[in-house]
Amino acid sequence: MNRTWNQYVVKRENKTLVLTTIINHMPISRANVAQVTGLNKGTVSSLVSELIDEELVKELGPGESSGGRRPVMLLFNGNAGYSISIELAIGNILGVITDLNGQIVNEENIPLQTTDFNTIFPIMTQLIKKLIQQAPKSRYGIVGLGIGVPAVVSQKGEILLAPNLDWKNINLKEKLSEIFHLPIYVENEANAGAYGEMRYGSSQESKHMIYTSLGIGIGTGMILDGKLYHGLSGFAGELGHMTIIKDGRSCRCGNHGCWERYASEQALIDEGLNRQLITNDQAEPLDELIKLAAAGDKEVIKLFEEIGTYIAIGLTNCINIFNPEHVIIGNKLMKAKEWIYPVIEAYIHDHAIGFHQNKLKIDSAKLGIYSPVSGMAAFVIEGFLFDRKTTQE
Ligand SMILES: [Zn+2]
């Protein structure tokens, strides 16, 4: 490594540090950036000038001063570009445009009647094109595209297995790259949800967090020591397929007694049909069950409580394994929070090993159904801003 290269790397790292400091502390003066980063004022001043020229930072009127001339405050310019994020769920595709602060500026939701990839792919690409057209004009335009999928995803953005979609070995990133010449990120939906809650949601402070996505299946994303945990090949977090019942219900993953066969939205709907609480001609069976519970139907409330107990059994296992500070429960089943949540809390309180409970917080996802798309936006934005070397390059 020669001297010039070294200087280049140091400068790039300093610039990233200055930009990160402005994003995390804005509005902030140049002098305070120097104080926070430990860089000298001259260096900060010249890096800030570059960032202003690049339209990533802008100046706000004078800020508070304890005396003397009031300093000019710096802001990160969240409107310098936009990100497109998609959550490909079972039964719908949610697409959003966010600014560089991760704020959603527009969204589109398309219901799906099928899980056939060849039908869904063109629907998804049309949606992406529509969102690209809707994005406000900006210096950098669309800075990237992020897709969250309920699947085991390889480090190259290939869907290896999506049991609930019945997909195997689909190179989604490659297929999208043929159409969209943008940085593309494909990630497991629960990992994206965990990242979204960590960056923009209810877990911005905790370094040890488990996010559980309760949809048609169950996915979990883990933030361990402040980082999204991927495991050796990026497959960590398939906790929906941990066995909770010996010789239990068969699962599409090939195993029996998996957690998601007892505690997911699909498990709820299956049991609702079994017990003839709903009929199979309902377009939105979960909403129908919620309506019945709200009207005081005791059998339906009992079913929600049973599902809540199964959710809590799996969460208790997660808590005992990972000793998290924060457990966040997200996705569609939380629409029934009113009946499920108290059961979960009480069960964990009675069953998780006591030491784990000292500092443990359990919450529903602050971003609601937007946790995964927000996480995908964060991957895209950080890739753009920090030239982050991702595992998918
Ligand atoms: Zn399974």
Side-chain angles (χ1 to χ4, degrees):
M1 202 182 274
N2 62 37
R3 188 178 149 79
T4 324
W5 175 247
N6 258 334
Q7 284 171 334
Y8 169 75
V9 170
V10 169
K11 187 185 162 194
R12 203 179 68 173
E13 283 176 0
N14 285 345
K15 199 164 163 182
T16 296
L17 184 61
V18 167
L19 182 58
T20 311
T21 305
I22 294 169
I23 291 172
N24 292 337
H25 295 87
M26 64 181 174
I28 183 170
S29 66
R30 285 171 176 78
N32 283 343
V33 172
Q35 212 169 40
V36 172
T37 58
L39 298 170
N40 72 48
K41 283 184 186 172
T43 305
V44 168
S45 209
S46 94
L47 292 174
V48 166
S49 296
E50 284 185 22
L51 289 166
I52 288 174
D53 287 345
E54 291 164 16
E55 293 181 34
L56 291 174
V57 167
K58 57 187 180 183
E59 290 181 325
L60 179 76
E64 304 266 320
S65 169
S66 45
R69 198 161 61 90
R70 292 210 262 170
V72 172
M73 304 305 275
L74 303 169
L75 289 177
F76 170 58
N77 178 16
N79 302 121
Y82 292 86
S83 151
I84 305 282
S85 310
I86 303 288
E87 185 198 353
L88 182 54
I90 321 282
N92 74 299
I93 308 179
L94 173 66
V96 302
I97 307 167
T98 74
D99 64 18
L100 298 182
N101 287 314
Q103 289 288 325
I104 295 172
V105 297
N106 205 359
E107 67 172 274
E108 295 276 343
N109 187 34
I110 301 179
L112 293 175
Q113 312 297 338
T114 172
T115 57
D116 175 53
F117 179 79
N118 292 324
T119 312
I120 291 177
F121 188 71
I123 297 175
M124 180 166 71
T125 53
Q126 277 309 112
L127 171 65
I128 295 167
K129 285 177 188 166
K130 188 173 173 191
L131 290 168
I132 289 173
Q133 277 174 357
Q134 287 173 353
K137 294 270 166 288
S138 63
R139 162 94 180 240
Y140 296 99
I142 303 297
V143 301
L145 174 60
I147 320 281
V149 279
V152 178
V153 179
S154 82
Q155 289 162 325
K156 290 186 171 158
E158 182 180 6
I159 293 174
L160 299 179
L161 179 69
N164 292 312
L165 288 165
D166 220 358
W167 295 358
K168 256 185 199 171
N169 303 321
I170 295 174
N171 200 333
L172 185 61
K173 185 176 170 181
E174 197 179 272
K175 285 180 190 294
L176 288 168
S177 308
E178 287 164 11
I179 303 171
F180 303 102
H181 304 289
L182 291 167
I184 296 172
Y185 299 82
V186 181
E187 181 60 88
N188 171 274
E189 160 271 332
N191 282 351
Y195 207 66
E197 286 293 325
M198 177 172 97
R199 278 286 176 264
Y200 308 122
S202 54
S203 199
Q204 296 180 39
E205 305 298 326
S206 30
K207 287 200 160 12
H208 308 280
M209 182 263 273
I210 308 274
Y211 168 87
T212 304
S213 163
L214 302 171
I216 289 294
I218 294 184
T220 44
M222 293 166 287
I223 305 292
L224 303 179
D225 286 325
K227 287 190 185 135
L228 183 63
Y229 182 72
H230 278 100
L232 174 66
S233 310
F235 309 156
E238 286 302 320
L239 296 174
H241 299 283
M242 70 176 151
T243 308
I244 61 160
I245 307 278
K246 179 179 175 290
D247 300 327
R249 296 172 189 163
S250 68
C251 179
R252 290 190 193 198
C253 75
N255 197 1
H256 288 264
C258 295
W259 184 26
E260 73 171 35
R261 294 294 289 113
Y262 294 84
S264 63
E265 184 186 347
Q266 190 63 56
L268 174 87
I269 294 167
D270 290 349
E271 264 320 284
L273 287 168
N274 253 346
R275 298 180 192 184
Q276 298 180 339
L277 302 171
I278 46 170
T279 49
N280 59 10
D281 54 0
Q282 303 285 346
E284 299 286 347
L286 172 60
D287 292 345
E288 184 59 26
L289 285 165
I290 289 172
K291 221 189 285 171
L292 291 167
D297 186 318
K298 288 202 171 62
E299 288 302 307
V300 174
I301 292 172
K302 193 171 137 226
L303 173 59
F304 274 125
E305 289 172 351
E306 281 175 32
I307 296 282
T309 304
Y310 280 121
I311 295 168
I313 288 172
L315 287 178
T316 302
N317 290 340
C318 297
I319 292 163
N320 287 340
I321 296 168
F322 293 106
N323 180 211
E325 181 182 356
H326 207 170
V327 170
I328 298 182
I329 312 168
N331 212 338
K332 289 182 198 146
L333 209 41
M334 286 315 277
K335 286 204 235 170
K337 186 179 167 184
E338 188 181 337
W339 301 282
I340 289 176
Y341 192 75
V343 180
I344 296 175
E345 231 180 8
Y347 185 96
I348 291 174
H349 181 75
D350 290 346
H351 293 85
I353 294 172
F355 307 116
H356 288 300
Q357 297 193 27
N358 293 341
K359 292 181 179 167
L360 177 69
K361 279 188 298 177
I362 305 167
D363 275 322
S364 57
K366 185 177 171 191
L367 304 171
I369 59 161
Y370 301 102
S371 319
V373 282
S374 299
M376 290 317 305
F379 292 133
V380 169
I381 294 162
E382 287 167 16
F384 165 69
L385 288 179
F386 308 125
D387 193 23
R388 199 175 51 128
K389 292 284 172 243
T390 70
T391 50
Q392 289 190 11
E393 282 182 4

